[in-house]
Amino acid sequence: RLSGSRAVVPSMVISIGALSLGELAIAVGIAPTLVEQPLVHGLAVLAGLGVVLTIKQFERATIETERVEAALRQREERFRALVQHASDIIMVIGPGGELIYVSPAFEAILGYSSAESTGMSGFELTHPDDVEVLRNTIAGGASGSREGAAAARLRRRDGSWCWFDVIITDLSANPRVGEIG
């Protein structure tokens, strides 16, 4: 099944072929016509030109759409590769504090697989003395800021604690990001 700009040539061949068969049927008397024969052939040529021009216009629009979609896919793949290979832990946290996504660095540094971490609360991993600092940073504190930074200890799978500089950016109000969850 052909789609997009690859369907242009077959569409033109089929359309011109159908017009030509219709003309041939009129010329040999198989099909009746309401228009006199010299005029009907001129109308068929004009119809054929119209079909070709219309299909070519669709081709231009389709090629542009395909180009934009390919560029978007390439940007998404580049972003995905950057996140997947980042040495920093990247987490997406839902409104209730649950981990929705963790980058591969999460497993490499903390030892929890992404399957284990999905649905886990980010506060479960936080040292009890640091939970309030992170909660305030996430909430934006008194300033109402959508960004913040803090230092906090997170628990590794082996039970040890490791200090991290945590940078929090709330992107839930960004329409390009949308709601999480």
Side-chain angles (χ1 to χ4, degrees):
R1 176 182 140 120
L2 291 177
S3 63
S5 60
R6 295 179 308 182
V8 168
V9 172
S11 297
M12 286 193 296
V13 169
I14 291 168
S15 298
I16 298 302
L19 281 169
S20 299
L21 285 175
E23 277 297 296
L24 181 62
I26 290 170
V28 296
I30 297 173
T33 179
L34 299 176
V35 181
E36 293 182 31
Q37 284 217 346
L39 290 176
V40 78
H41 300 307
L43 290 174
V45 169
L46 288 175
L49 286 173
V51 166
V52 167
L53 292 174
T54 301
I55 291 173
K56 289 302 275 180
Q57 191 63 29
F58 283 132
E59 177 188 36
R60 281 189 207 100
T62 302
I63 287 172
E64 179 61 18
T65 299
E66 290 170 349
R67 185 190 66 73
V68 168
E69 289 172 351
L72 178 60
R73 273 191 308 278
Q74 184 179 23
R75 283 194 304 271
E76 288 173 350
E77 288 168 8
R78 184 173 41 246
F79 176 75
R80 189 175 298 111
L82 289 170
V83 168
Q84 293 297 318
H85 295 94
S87 59
D88 292 334
I89 296 174
I90 299 171
M91 294 187 279
V92 176
I93 302 173
E98 72 280 5
L99 300 179
I100 296 172
Y101 168 83
V102 295
S103 65
F106 185 87
E107 183 173 2
I109 296 170
L110 295 177
Y112 301 96
S113 71
S114 61
E116 289 176 292
S117 66
T118 302
M120 180 187 286
S121 168
F123 297 117
E124 287 177 46
L125 300 174
T126 306
H127 191 280
D129 294 343
D130 302 332
V131 169
E132 195 61 32
V133 171
L134 279 186
R135 284 191 196 276
N136 288 338
T137 304
I138 289 171
S143 67
S145 171
R146 301 194 75 71
E147 295 184 12
R153 289 164 284 185
L154 298 179
R155 186 182 65 245
R156 291 187 174 127
R157 185 166 181 54
D158 67 8
S160 65
W161 296 97
C162 184
W163 279 99
F164 287 89
D165 288 323
V166 180
I167 299 171
I168 298 168
T169 306
D170 181 356
L171 298 175
S172 60
N174 185 325
R176 291 177 290 180
V177 175
E179 288 187 30
I180 298 172

